[in-house]
Amino acid sequence: MTDTGLDLGIVPMRDGHIKRHGPEGFEGMRKAGQLSARALDMLTEHVRPGVTTQQIDDLVRMFYLDHGAVPATLFYRGYTRSSCTSINHVICHGIPNTKPLREGDIINIDVTCVYEGWHGDTSRMFNVGKIKRKAERLVNATYEAMMRGIAIVKPGNTFGDIGHVIQKYAESQRYSVVRDFCGHGLGRLFHDAPNVLHFGDRGTGAVLEPGMFFTIEPMLNIGKPDARILDDGWTAVTRDKSLSAQFEHSVGVIEDGVEIFTKSPAGLDRPPYT
């Protein structure tokens, strides 16, 4: 789940408060991250026209409970679902409901578990049937933007380096980067320092150090980057109703680079899932 100080009540913390974790933390995050990755793997056969996002949410909740975990979003700050399901022009935090998916939709499914005290947070885009070429291009570019940001993660680089690479690539593809939401630190807490911006300048922000855990989860729009929150207090949509896409991984900084905790064990990290 994305972090925004305004909407989730998260107070940004100073760079000096970014936690560094040891081997126990890495082991805990591997287990939690892989469980959430498997939850998304499980959904690949269920995301199709006619299925409701509430049915998807029920599958996520049952999967977590069956594997000894709990959904981190359930009752989090008043949220009442086990996942977020964001369709087409919904940027993030879409609330599952009884409306069926339609042919041509694109949907981001964002899941987070708490397993043995650690949080596994990840999201992927899913195609509902055959989608239009412009939607396919957006989905592919968003995944590429995330992976380019992750590739920058290593000791000595900065959080600004991550945002700069993501922004530069997104804008080279003529997409905009949403500014209202960001990645976040995590571990035993769902949302922790730092805020991880998906735009910015090289050499700015805190320096990456081994043991830091955080999410990278860019949101790209076909149109302008502006967002607005619906009356439910959660659902963020594009102001110009243009398509939006998002991918998310949880990562840890290691001595020689980065470890991705939430990679799909089945290789299903991006659509099409065939």
Side-chain angles (χ1 to χ4, degrees):
M1 178 179 276
T2 49
D3 184 6
T4 164
L6 175 63
D7 298 304
L8 294 182
I10 305 300
V11 178
M13 300 174 71
R14 293 178 299 176
D15 292 341
H17 288 176
I18 301 172
K19 294 183 178 70
R20 282 70 163 173
H21 300 270
E24 178 188 0
F26 276 87
E27 184 60 25
M29 290 297 288
R30 288 183 194 117
K31 291 179 180 179
Q34 282 299 284
L35 189 59
S36 283
R38 288 168 54 203
L40 292 181
D41 287 354
M42 174 271 298
L43 292 176
T44 56
E45 63 182 286
H46 297 283
V47 179
R48 59 182 183 271
V51 173
T52 70
T53 50
Q54 184 59 60
Q55 289 174 308
I56 290 170
D57 191 69
D58 291 341
L59 287 168
V60 171
R61 184 177 65 258
M62 290 186 292
F63 180 88
Y64 280 151
L65 295 177
D66 286 346
H67 289 83
V70 295
T73 58
L74 191 60
F75 307 125
Y76 179 79
R77 299 185 181 273
Y79 193 77
T80 59
R81 301 294 192 276
S82 300
S83 64
C84 296
T85 52
S86 303
I87 303 170
N88 296 334
H89 72 292
V90 178
I91 296 171
C92 60
H93 301 162
I95 302 173
N97 57 40
T98 58
K99 184 178 179 180
L101 296 172
R102 299 182 300 176
E103 182 84 17
D105 285 341
I106 57 173
I107 177 173
N108 175 272
I109 303 177
D110 190 343
V111 299
T112 308
C113 72
V114 185
Y115 183 69
E116 297 181 354
W118 297 92
H119 288 76
D121 189 0
T122 185
S123 79
R124 295 179 206 160
M125 295 300 298
F126 292 77
N127 302 340
V128 183
K130 184 175 178 58
I131 66 172
K132 293 183 178 179
R133 176 57 181 159
K134 69 176 183 178
E136 182 180 32
R137 287 189 66 253
L138 173 66
V139 168
N140 288 339
T142 305
Y143 179 81
E144 179 67 18
M146 176 186 67
M147 294 308 295
R148 289 185 180 218
I150 291 173
I152 292 296
V153 177
K154 65 178 181 180
N157 284 346
T158 69
F159 283 98
D161 295 336
I162 298 171
H164 176 79
V165 165
I166 291 172
Q167 180 183 6
K168 182 178 179 181
Y169 175 75
E171 292 177 353
S172 77
Q173 301 301 302
R174 300 186 178 181
Y175 299 123
S176 61
V177 178
V178 174
R179 264 67 166 175
D180 297 71
F181 302 92
C182 60
H184 53 90
L186 81 169
R188 290 196 175 276
L189 295 179
F190 192 175
H191 294 94
D192 205 348
N195 291 329
V196 183
L197 304 183
H198 304 115
F199 59 95
D201 299 319
R202 283 198 186 101
T204 61
V207 175
L208 300 173
E209 297 181 18
M212 292 180 174
F213 298 161
F214 50 89
T215 69
I216 296 179
E217 46 183 307
M219 291 138 280
L220 271 56
N221 295 347
I222 284 182
K224 295 180 180 180
D226 307 292
R228 68 182 182 93
I229 307 298
L230 299 187
D231 291 341
D232 59 31
W234 285 99
T235 306
V237 301
T238 56
R239 283 191 175 274
D240 58 10
K241 298 184 178 180
S242 62
L243 286 178
S244 185
Q246 178 190 15
F247 282 89
E248 175 183 14
H249 273 316
S250 295
V251 304
V253 184
I254 57 178
E255 293 293 340
D256 58 352
V258 62
E259 179 175 345
I260 303 175
F261 298 125
T262 48
K263 278 192 69 66
S264 164
L268 303 174
D269 290 295
R270 63 189 295 182
Y273 302 116
T274 56

